[in-house]
Amino acid sequence: MENTIRQFLDYLEFEKRYSEQTIKNYEIDLYHLKEYCTKNRLNYLKLSYDAVSEYVIDMQKSGYKSTSINRTLSSQRSFYNYLIKKDITETNPFELINNLKTEKKLPNYFKYSDFEEMLETLEDDKPLTLRNALIIELLLSTGLRVSELSSIKISDMDLKNNEIKILGKGNKERIVYYREATKQKLYFYLKDSRPVLLKGKFSEYLLINNNGGKLTERGIRYIIDGIIKKCSINTRVTPHTFRHTFATMLLNEGCDIRSVQELLGHANLNTTSIYTHLTNEAIRKTYLNAHPHGKY
């Protein structure tokens, strides 16, 4: 099983081009199944429906949340579909297992005043500070996934039209746009910061780390954590929170949901529709202000 897991992870990285974090999650889930099979002396290529059901029950008894179990089941389904594709096995024992019911939680987001507070912590003109200011500007302006931000190449940038070509999930290409404030930070980063960070090296990537190489997803998360620690923001903020905030702001300002779907790179409109729930309060306030009897 060890070899097939490694082959599958290589397939996700080099053919599917999944992000570093996504591949790590798959690895955790698959090795969890491997340990379960070893412990219970099960042949992973001959798992029955009953055996998989017991596996799910075991995770529940171990205290796994429904969301974690569902993610694990999704990983296992993908793994066995890969095994079928490679003629390693003929059936997928996880196909008949339904996901557990979960409580839907709305994604958190922050206020624009919180973003301004973040920028206030990045006011000097040091190379790393200029880069970090650009990072949060790009995240809020584009709604990019952290993996997409880390993978931007200089050749993907259309500096004249404020556009970036993005290769997202499933190798789906899309164009995102950035605002004038971001363009200004991009200009100073390219002029005064990036050449210093490169230390005479060459890189095709936009964002550079302190050693002159590509800035990783983990590096971006570390930078965001450092910025938030200097702020008085109560909301938990990660790179993905910028994506939630981007979508919420656009919908609050009247952008249609299909345009937001395209900008986010969502394959399914249902994935985007969750953000409409976040705008209910804005709609309520608009109603109260606009309706002649709304305030009474």
Side-chain angles (χ1 to χ4, degrees):
M1 190 175 182
E2 173 86 27
N3 288 337
T4 50
I5 288 176
R6 298 315 311 176
Q7 290 168 12
F8 177 65
L9 295 177
D10 287 343
Y11 164 76
L12 296 182
E13 180 179 0
F14 299 112
E15 292 191 39
K16 301 294 286 183
R17 299 187 68 176
Y18 282 4
S19 71
E20 175 187 337
Q21 187 61 45
T22 299
I23 294 171
K24 185 65 179 176
N25 289 338
Y26 271 99
E27 183 177 15
I28 292 169
D29 296 339
L30 294 174
Y31 275 98
H32 184 271
L33 176 63
K34 178 180 179 294
E35 290 174 9
Y36 180 82
C37 289
T38 302
K39 177 183 176 183
N40 294 279
R41 297 181 179 179
L42 297 171
N43 184 337
Y44 79 103
L45 295 177
K46 296 180 180 180
L47 289 181
S48 65
Y49 171 81
D50 289 340
V52 174
S53 297
E54 286 296 326
Y55 174 56
V56 174
I57 293 171
D58 183 77
M59 284 191 283
Q60 289 176 305
K61 288 180 178 178
S62 300
Y64 281 79
K65 294 181 180 179
S66 296
T67 50
S68 297
I69 294 174
N70 288 342
R71 190 198 74 182
T72 301
L73 292 175
S74 177
S75 297
Q76 316 302 6
R77 288 192 198 99
S78 298
F79 176 59
Y80 278 89
N81 283 336
Y82 168 81
L83 296 182
I84 292 172
K85 181 180 178 181
K86 295 296 182 180
D87 294 323
I88 297 173
T89 188
E90 295 181 354
T91 59
N92 187 338
F94 287 86
E95 281 296 341
L96 298 175
I97 302 296
N98 294 322
N99 281 352
L100 304 180
K101 289 185 177 180
T102 59
E103 179 184 348
K104 288 188 177 180
K105 293 184 179 180
L106 297 179
N108 65 310
Y109 63 101
F110 52 78
K111 300 176 182 177
Y112 190 76
S113 57
D114 294 331
F115 178 68
E116 291 178 319
E117 185 178 346
M118 295 178 212
L119 286 177
E120 287 175 4
T121 71
L122 300 166
E123 289 188 331
D124 64 61
D125 58 357
K126 296 178 181 177
L128 289 177
T129 305
L130 292 175
R131 183 203 61 190
N132 296 348
L134 175 63
I135 286 171
I136 64 172
E137 272 284 354
L138 281 170
L139 285 171
L140 190 65
S141 286
T142 62
L144 290 175
R145 301 176 178 94
V146 65
S147 58
E148 294 169 341
L149 178 64
S150 173
S151 299
I152 293 175
K153 298 177 181 178
I154 294 293
S155 59
D156 297 326
M157 308 289 297
D158 183 342
L159 302 177
K160 181 179 179 181
N161 296 306
N162 296 17
E163 297 178 0
I164 310 174
K165 182 174 65 177
I166 299 297
L167 190 64
K169 283 187 175 181
N171 290 331
K172 183 181 177 183
E173 193 175 280
R174 73 183 190 278
I175 299 294
V176 298
Y177 310 91
Y178 52 90
R179 61 182 191 159
E180 285 300 314
T182 312
K183 184 174 185 175
Q184 185 180 30
K185 286 184 171 55
L186 179 62
Y187 170 79
F188 286 111
Y189 168 74
L190 292 175
K191 175 177 173 289
D192 301 325
S193 175
R194 190 172 181 274
V196 175
L197 295 174
L198 280 172
K199 296 180 169 64
K201 300 176 183 178
F202 170 80
S203 175
E204 60 184 338
Y205 293 98
L206 172 68
L207 297 175
I208 304 300
N209 63 27
N210 200 29
N211 297 315
K214 175 189 174 184
L215 184 63
T216 64
E217 298 170 40
R218 183 179 297 179
I220 293 173
R221 291 190 176 92
Y222 180 81
I223 289 165
I224 299 298
D225 287 343
I227 293 172
I228 299 305
K229 285 178 182 177
K230 297 178 182 179
C231 300
S232 60
I233 302 170
N234 295 322
T235 304
R236 180 174 179 270
V237 177
T238 68
H240 219 67
T241 312
F242 284 82
R243 186 168 164 84
H244 298 326
T245 304
F246 167 83
T248 304
M249 286 181 173
L250 286 182
L251 289 168
N252 278 342
E253 293 299 320
C255 186
D256 69 275
I257 191 169
R258 290 201 175 274
S259 295
V260 176
Q261 176 193 7
E262 183 66 28
L263 290 168
L264 290 174
H266 284 160
N268 194 319
L269 188 62
N270 289 335
T271 309
T272 316
S273 65
I274 190 171
Y275 295 106
T276 61
H277 298 295
L278 299 176
T279 66
N280 287 344
E281 181 61 21
I283 294 172
R284 186 183 74 86
K285 289 180 179 178
T286 301
Y287 166 79
L288 292 175
N289 289 329
H291 196 282
H293 300 291
K295 299 178 182 179
Y296 305 103

